[in-house]
Amino acid sequence: MNGSEEMAVSGMSAGRSAMRMGPAELVQAAAMARRFYLEGKSKIQIAEEFGVSRFKVARVLETALERDLVRIEIRVPAELDAERSDALRARYGLRHAVVVESPAEAEESPDPENLGEVAADLLGELVTEGDVLGLAWGRSTIHMAAALDRLPPCTVVQLTGVYDAGTAERGSVEAVRRAAQVAGGDAHPIYAPMLLPDAATAAALRNQTGIARAFEYFDKVTVACVSIGSWEPGISTVHDMLSDEERAHYASLGVAAEMSAHLFDAEGRRVGRDLGERCITVKADQLRRIPEVVAIAGGQRKAAAIDAVLRSGLVTSLVTDTSAADYLMAAGPTPKPALNRADPDGP
């Protein structure tokens, strides 16, 4: 997933300035450049081989670049947009931002499947041995888990209940099992719906042995993977689980986005906090304390919701697509850096 640096070293000049070097100098410079860029030798090793000082080696390598004997080309896989990724990271103060080319046939679709594949590679980089990896419900996290092929030994815990307890084998529970299998670590799934009819039922479920055991790990999570939903049908599982009356109520509060059953307005402030009392989910304050929270979300229909959640300060890294990235780069005033993890609602 990382960009690779491809070095092309030539003993012949492509520019008139290089001709000012004599043939012996050209051959030596090309040889030193080959040792340094292609063979990975240090300047000290090169100096010993050629019988010169390491300072001369440094000057020769610098001259080789200036006079076009060495050309350095930075390449990343075609599906990754390095320029947008860096710009997005800087704009929101993220630790990591990875922008994937939007599939032409699905530019407006939420969460193209290739986001999950790239996120799987990113997790392979971020997770270290002994970490506790938390996975929240979401189609994008399910795609990510299916694409995982490497993880260091770690514990995997489910951070939310499922959209429908009857789909557990194909959803969040299976994602947790899959990640734990790849990592060779323990799995702590949650066999319960995300949304319950009332707060009392939710509280009773949280006290059940298996669910309580998973909840005990929430404060130990070091890397979390979450999804983001827009407040509209088919783009937010929480929206789809509520009644028409409930949807209208939360819409009246200015809901623009949802993440792990937490609702946010366009400025990233949490609204409708009473909903959380009915949900089996990690608390927002717990998410804020997790060192690395990776959101996977893309598509034009989710772009405004992604902006809202990024402004909340809960997310440290993002995997998205070019369609959403273009919106985010032009979305309102520059937000506070995410890495200060400040709560927009204040203390």
Side-chain angles (χ1 to χ4, degrees), residues 108-347:
E108 296 186 11
S109 299
D111 302 339
E113 288 194 24
N114 59 342
L115 295 186
E117 298 169 3
V118 173
D121 282 344
L122 179 61
L123 280 189
E125 290 183 61
L126 299 181
V127 176
T128 59
E129 185 172 351
D131 274 344
V132 176
L133 172 62
L135 301 182
W137 160 265
R139 284 179 284 266
S140 57
T141 53
I142 292 169
H143 292 153
M144 179 278 299
L148 281 172
D149 59 10
R150 64 184 177 98
L151 274 180
C154 65
T155 298
V156 186
V157 60
Q158 192 170 324
L159 295 179
T160 65
V162 298
Y163 174 53
D164 179 352
T167 66
E169 292 299 317
R170 303 186 298 278
S172 301
V173 170
E174 180 56 32
V176 170
R177 286 175 173 167
R178 166 66 182 165
Q181 180 183 37
V182 173
D186 293 334
H188 295 278
I190 293 177
Y191 295 94
M194 182 187 294
L195 180 67
L196 282 304
D198 52 63
T201 304
L205 273 179
R206 292 189 201 104
N207 289 326
Q208 288 189 359
T209 303
I211 298 174
R213 187 177 298 117
F215 268 62
E216 289 173 359
Y217 277 89
F218 286 2
D219 287 327
K220 302 174 185 178
V221 173
T222 50
V223 180
C225 192
V226 300
S227 296
I228 294 172
S230 298
W231 200 245
E232 58 178 300
I235 313 295
S236 164
T237 51
V238 172
H239 178 282
D240 292 346
M241 285 189 281
L242 295 172
S243 67
D244 289 341
E245 183 179 355
E246 290 170 324
R247 291 173 193 146
H249 165 66
Y250 290 116
S252 72
L253 301 179
V255 174
E258 170 264 317
M259 180 180 70
S260 302
H262 301 296
L263 310 181
F264 305 87
D265 68 10
E267 299 302 318
R269 295 181 294 254
R270 289 183 58 212
V271 296
R273 297 186 182 216
D274 60 303
L275 182 65
E277 298 175 5
R278 296 170 50 195
C279 293
I280 303 297
T281 185
V282 61
K283 295 178 180 178
D285 288 343
Q286 290 174 311
L287 280 172
R288 200 177 299 280
R289 292 193 295 268
I290 296 174
E292 185 75 78
V293 179
V294 181
I296 312 170
Q300 291 179 5
R301 294 178 65 187
K302 278 195 175 184
I306 297 169
D307 176 61
V309 172
L310 292 183
R311 290 175 185 273
S312 75
L314 293 176
V315 170
T316 61
S317 297
L318 174 69
V319 178
T320 190
D321 64 350
T322 52
S323 177
D326 287 343
Y327 174 95
L328 293 171
M329 290 306 300
T334 302
K336 294 179 181 179
L339 294 183
N340 66 20
R341 313 305 292 275
D343 187 344
D345 301 330

